[in-house]
Amino acid sequence: MGIRRRIVAGNWKMNLDRAGAVALAEAVASGATSSVGCNLILCPPSIYLSPVANALKISKGESPSGVGLGGQNLHDQPKGAFTGEIAPAMLIDIGCSSCIVGHSERRTLFGENDAIVNGKAKAALAAGLTPIICVGETLEEREQNRTAAVVTEQIKGSLEGFSSADLTGSIVAYEPVWAIGTGKVATPEQAQEVHALIRQQLANLTDEETANRVVIQYGGSVKPDNAGILAAQQDIDGALVGGASLKADDFLAIAKHFADAS
Ligand code: 13P
């Protein structure tokens, strides 16, 4: 068993209906024992958080199946006149233990910059949620050899002011934008290179011991047939899965690869 937990999260994005969400959660929960050694988190659309929490039988923050619940987004304020937004404490109230923050779709389609992501991540931590903080370069940035610079800036900006406890209470997800939903997975070497760079940046922010304890997930076209080789990389501690998380068998097969590598 390595120093870090293995954590695989499913980002369902804006997919499924209520019945489909419940059925998927039940299927994942009943198969979760196949991937003991790897923590699982499901991130349904916010309107289905409550039925999924019920399907997972989450009560007072405890999930008997071990499968956790996460939001896809949150607001950085505790309450008020923010039509359409969801406060961190509301996610806790409904049974969430984590929340994705700064997904590239939020960054590019909804104008979230590093400062906004930083505020949301801190609000998540303050409420007791584990933020899953996403970074990653676009194809254009990679082709211009700017991957390291872009990811470094995102890490510095998104995690500004983090203490060691904040860092170890967070998950970082490296999701190269060009690999999301495209079927183009980063090679294990490409992913490992950026994960190692991220870990170095985390060490610069705090210290090496802290950085070595932070779970760094890879995301972008993770499937059962490429998860094994990704999981074998030294600094890849889990996955943030989009499309393949909509099929229980695929999601569980991915988790098993990470469990086996733990
Ligand atoms: P895909 O697995 O569909 O490429 O999506 C990755 C992602 O964006 C997870 O947050």
Side-chain angles (χ1 to χ4, degrees):
M1 182 73 180
I3 183 175
R4 294 179 291 275
R5 288 170 300 152
R6 297 291 188 269
I7 305 178
V8 170
N11 177 6
W12 295 357
K13 306 192 181 181
M14 198 173 74
N15 292 298
L16 301 167
D17 57 14
R18 180 187 170 113
V22 166
L24 181 53
E26 286 173 349
V28 170
S30 67
T33 46
S34 67
S35 56
V36 172
C38 175
N39 294 6
L40 302 179
I41 303 171
L42 302 180
C43 303
S46 58
I47 200 162
Y48 299 140
L49 281 168
S50 186
V52 168
N54 289 339
L56 296 175
K57 302 188 172 56
I58 292 178
S59 169
K60 298 192 172 73
E62 295 295 322
S63 177
S65 67
V67 180
L69 186 65
Q72 295 181 10
N73 182 34
L74 46 60
H75 196 271
D76 67 355
Q77 295 299 307
K79 65 173 184 172
F82 303 103
T83 302
E85 294 294 320
I86 297 173
M90 295 174 181
L91 292 176
I92 295 266
D93 191 24
I94 218 78
C96 290
S97 50
S98 58
C99 186
I100 299 169
V101 176
H103 189 278
S104 71
E105 287 147 20
R106 301 288 326 165
R107 289 177 183 264
T108 56
L109 303 174
F110 301 97
E112 292 189 11
N113 58 27
D114 290 331
I116 292 173
V117 173
N118 184 245
K120 290 187 175 200
K122 283 180 173 161
L125 284 163
L129 291 163
T130 300
I132 303 174
I133 304 162
C134 304
V135 297
E137 81 288 0
T138 63
L139 182 60
E140 193 185 7
E141 288 162 347
R142 177 162 281 269
E143 285 175 349
Q144 293 168 348
N145 283 326
R146 291 175 51 221
T147 299
V150 167
V151 171
T152 297
E153 193 179 317
Q154 288 175 332
I155 289 287
K156 279 189 184 155
S158 304
L159 277 58
E160 198 192 313
F162 270 40
S163 65
S164 289
D166 291 339
L167 254 193
T168 53
S170 303
I171 296 171
V172 175
Y174 169 56
E175 298 207 305
V177 177
W178 49 272
I180 295 177
T182 58
K184 277 191 219 157
V185 64
T187 65
E189 295 77 20
Q190 284 174 325
Q192 167 57 29
E193 189 182 9
V194 181
H195 280 234
L197 169 95
I198 289 172
R199 202 172 303 285
Q200 185 56 53
Q201 291 302 325
L202 301 183
N204 295 348
L205 274 178
T206 53
D207 57 80
E208 210 165 296
E209 197 199 324
T210 301
N212 279 334
R213 288 166 52 205
V214 180
V215 171
I216 307 179
Q217 296 176 324
Y218 169 81
S221 297
V222 178
K223 309 280 182 234
D225 64 1
N226 59 32
I229 183 87
L230 289 164
Q233 305 305 307
Q234 191 182 341
D235 289 291
I236 302 183
D237 312 312
L240 183 52
V241 187
S245 73
L246 298 173
K247 291 190 185 133
D249 288 351
D250 285 359
F251 185 63
L252 291 167
I254 290 167
K256 182 154 181 6
H257 280 295
F258 280 91
D260 289 349
S262 70

